[in-house]
Each structure stands twice: as C-alpha cells, then as structure tokens.
Amino acid sequence: MMLADRPKRFGDHHNAFGVLRLFLAALVIVSHTPELADGNSGREVLTRLTGTLSSGGLAVFGFFIVSGYLITGSFVQSTSLASFAKKRIARIYPAFVVSSLLCLFVVAPLAGTVLDLGSPRVWIGSIVRIAILAQPRVEGAFPGQYYNDPISALNGAAWTIQYEFACYILAALLGLAGLYRRRGGVALLALVLLIAAQTVPADAIAALTKGRVFAGAPAFIFKLPGMFLTGAAFYVYRDRLRLSIAGSIVAAAGLCIILPIAPLTDIGVAIFGGYLLFAAARFGGDTMIGRINDRNDISYGLYLYAWPIEQLLIRYVGSASLVLLGMMTLILAAACGWASWLLVERPVLLWVKRRRVAAPHRSTAVSMPSQ
C-alpha cells in the first residue's frame, strides 16, 4: 500500500496522485472479490487475460512505484532524518493501529471467534504484531470461508504495509549514502532487485516470509523494493522525464504485450506501467478528476478496511453476485476510509505539522536534491 506526502505540483502542473491512489485501492477490491468468494483467481479478470498477474497485484506494484517517487521527494525535502521519520510514522501507524484493534475486537467476534483476553500471550502477541505492522492474527475466524487461516482471515490485504515501511527505511538509507546524487545507481539497483525476484531460489529467502518476518511469497522481498526504487528512479530523473500522449500510447501497448510474458512482467510493469502512472498524474492534474481524493485522502483507510468488510459480507450476505459484493465492499470501505481520515489520520498529521512548524528551524537538510 502507498502512503506519502503529496507534492503540490508534478513538474509544472498540478498532479493527480490522489485519484490514482483511490483508483489503485479500488482495483484491489476488484481483484479480491472473486478470490474471496471462490477461494481462487479463476474469475479474476486480469489473471484470466494474462495468466501472470492479477489486477490486485498490478495495483500493489502501482502503489509502490508512486510511493517510491513521493517518498524519495519527501526525504530530499526533509530538513532532518528525524523530521522524515516523524512524517512517515505519523502517516502509516495511527490508521494501522486503529484498524488492527477494530479487526481484533469487532471483526473477530463477528467472524465467529474472540480473543482470549485473559491470556498474556495473546495481548503480547497482538501488541508485537501491531508494532511491526503485521496483520492481526486470530484463530478460528470465518469458519467455512476461504482465506480463514489465522494470518489472512481478519485482514489478508494488510501484508503490504510492512513492506511499505521497510521501503521508507530503505529510502532513508539510500539518501544518507548519497545515492540520490548518483541517479544511475538508483535505476540500476531497482533493476537488480527485479531481476533477483525472478532468479533467486525461493527456498533461499523463505525463512523471511510466510508470517515470520514478512508476509507474502518470497519473491516480494525483491519485487516490492524493486518497484519502490523504480519510482525513486523516476523522481531523480524527473528533469529528463518527458510525458506525452504519444509516449503513453506506446507505454500502454508495451505493457499489454509484455504482461503475459512471465519472466518480463515485473520489468514491464516497472517501465511501461511507471510511465503510464506518471503520465496520468501529469495530465489528470489539470482536470476536475485530479481534485478527487486530493485534500481528503481516504485511500489508505479504504485499503485497510476493504478485506475485513468483504469477509463479513460473504459471511452474512453469502450468495450475492460478484458485482454486488464488490460494490457493497467499495461503498462501505470508502465510508470507513473517510472516517479513518477525518478521525485518525488527518488529526495526527496536523498535530505533527504544527509541532514541526513550532520547532526551531534547522538549516541542514538530510540530502540535497538530485539534479
């Protein structure tokens, strides 16, 4: 999932990153609806068309590409490492903590189970998992449904949040090492990671996944940072980036051609998909569409709440059509995202901003902008 401070402008124009985030979050719901209902991706549209990638996977890659661009910009423009860290923590933790608690104390009982509140192990385990941005874990939720294992049942989509925060740390480390001044190194590192995702044996890194440290397939250890650094590469080369309608058509054609080619899918998404994302942000920013989800960003909350909402809908509504199930999930998750933004995310961000403005000005920046 992508979270970042939005620059007011993209190049010389207003950007449309807000509506892009909202679209990508909605695309995840489109992907998860048939998978949660059927227990497989047989009716997932993009999977059927390409055989390599679901629309949810494409959306997650898009989140990380955009996040890499924006987070790199956030680091470069931060006045100190502490300032950068505070913004990142404030952006990702509060909503995640609240959603995890709601999953444990509201969703779990509705899903047919409940925490053993008298067990110190349960309390300590839950606190630790929240601290490391891991999915809430509970036994016995959603019996008889698909994806009812202890880790995925309550919020199977939240596995990406750990990777997102890990990429924030990676962004800071690369900035402190001065890599943003050597922009060719950023692009090369992104390429190396995406190639490693295809070539490093899964067994070699399996100990870090499957709920131990990071969730998801082992290859995501390389894929998601690779996509993130793709966005960082777009940022450091932004002065040379030429976005055009003709270029977008070529990129769209290239993406369609390369998506079904499994060994090249990730690199195709990074290059062609990345170009399309930033072209959409550039051209959409000058339209009314670019104002959607701009000032009030509900995309993070929508992403966090869609999975548990859809699981509950399947449990209590059951046989609804996929279209109805997806629409109900989208509407309810958007309402929860709006509440999360108004009651949790925005108040924390405003509080951090007020403290930052009130603090003594520091003249030394963390990293000079790459030129």
Side-chain angles (χ1 to χ4, degrees):
M1 174 61 188
M2 183 277 302
L3 295 165
D5 296 323
R6 300 186 302 279
K8 294 298 182 183
R9 292 181 178 273
F10 181 73
D12 294 326
H13 299 264
H14 294 288
N15 67 64
F17 285 124
V19 69
L20 275 178
R21 277 198 301 271
L22 192 60
F23 171 75
L24 292 172
L27 196 59
V28 173
I29 295 176
V30 171
S31 178
H32 284 167
T33 297
E35 294 186 25
L36 285 173
D38 301 342
N40 59 67
S41 57
R43 288 197 284 174
E44 206 283 320
V45 176
L46 191 60
T47 302
R48 295 182 67 177
L49 289 174
T50 67
T52 59
L53 188 65
S54 69
S55 52
L58 182 64
V60 168
F61 288 164
F63 275 127
F64 276 80
I65 291 171
V66 174
S67 183
Y69 182 97
L70 297 176
I71 296 301
T72 301
S74 176
F75 180 88
V76 167
Q77 296 162 24
S78 293
T79 56
S80 68
L81 180 60
S83 173
F84 173 79
K86 288 176 184 177
K87 287 186 290 184
R88 302 279 58 82
I89 291 170
R91 190 65 187 95
I92 204 166
Y93 263 96
F96 182 85
V97 170
V98 172
S99 72
S100 294
L101 292 176
L102 287 173
C103 281
L104 290 169
F105 295 109
V106 177
V107 176
L110 292 174
T113 188
V114 68
L115 289 177
D116 180 5
L117 298 180
S119 170
R121 181 179 178 182
V122 170
W123 280 102
I124 294 172
S126 298
I127 291 171
V128 169
R129 294 188 69 79
I130 290 174
I132 64 172
L133 297 169
Q135 299 150 271
R137 179 188 178 106
V138 69
E139 300 282 348
F142 299 107
Q145 292 181 218
Y146 302 109
Y147 299 99
N148 62 357
D149 61 277
I151 295 176
S152 298
L154 294 183
N155 203 341
W159 66 272
T160 62
I161 306 302
Q162 281 185 310
Y163 287 90
E164 175 78 11
F165 198 78
C167 286
Y168 295 170
I169 297 172
L170 176 62
L173 292 175
L174 295 182
L176 292 174
L179 193 64
Y180 299 140
R181 298 191 189 97
R182 303 174 182 88
R183 49 191 177 185
V186 178
L188 179 61
L189 184 54
L191 180 61
V192 168
L193 287 170
L194 293 175
I195 292 174
Q198 297 292 332
T199 57
V200 175
D203 292 345
I205 52 175
L208 295 176
T209 59
K210 303 300 180 185
R212 294 184 176 92
V213 178
F214 289 99
F220 284 115
I221 292 286
F222 299 113
K223 283 187 181 185
L224 297 186
M227 294 296 173
F228 184 90
L229 290 183
T230 296
F234 273 98
Y235 179 85
V236 297
Y237 280 104
R238 67 197 183 280
D239 59 327
R240 298 186 183 181
L241 185 60
R242 299 293 179 263
L243 300 171
S244 66
I245 299 298
S248 300
I249 293 172
V250 172
L255 185 62
C256 291
I257 292 170
I258 211 168
L259 272 180
I261 306 173
L264 300 177
T265 298
D266 297 342
I267 293 175
V269 170
I271 297 173
F272 297 126
Y275 185 96
L276 288 172
L277 283 169
F278 295 116
R282 152 67 174 84
F283 296 116
D286 293 329
T287 68
M288 291 292 293
I289 293 175
R291 299 182 183 180
I292 297 173
N293 201 52
D294 184 32
R295 295 184 178 276
N296 298 298
D297 185 3
I298 70 170
S299 59
Y300 184 31
L302 188 151
Y303 183 85
L304 286 175
Y305 289 102
W307 181 286
I309 285 172
E310 193 145 36
Q311 285 279 67
L312 288 172
L313 286 174
I314 291 171
R315 177 175 173 82
Y316 289 101
V317 177
S319 60
S321 71
L322 292 185
V323 173
L324 179 59
L325 181 62
M327 289 299 299
M328 292 171 64
T329 300
L330 180 60
I331 292 169
L332 293 173
C336 289
W338 182 257
S340 176
W341 172 255
L342 290 181
L343 302 177
V344 181
E345 298 167 58
R346 187 172 68 174
V348 172
L349 292 173
L350 289 174
W351 178 75
V352 170
K353 183 178 180 179
R354 285 195 296 267
R355 287 179 60 87
R356 189 165 69 245
V357 171
H361 178 70
R362 299 174 185 264
S363 60
T364 303
V366 174
S367 175
M368 296 300 291
S370 300
Q371 299 294 337

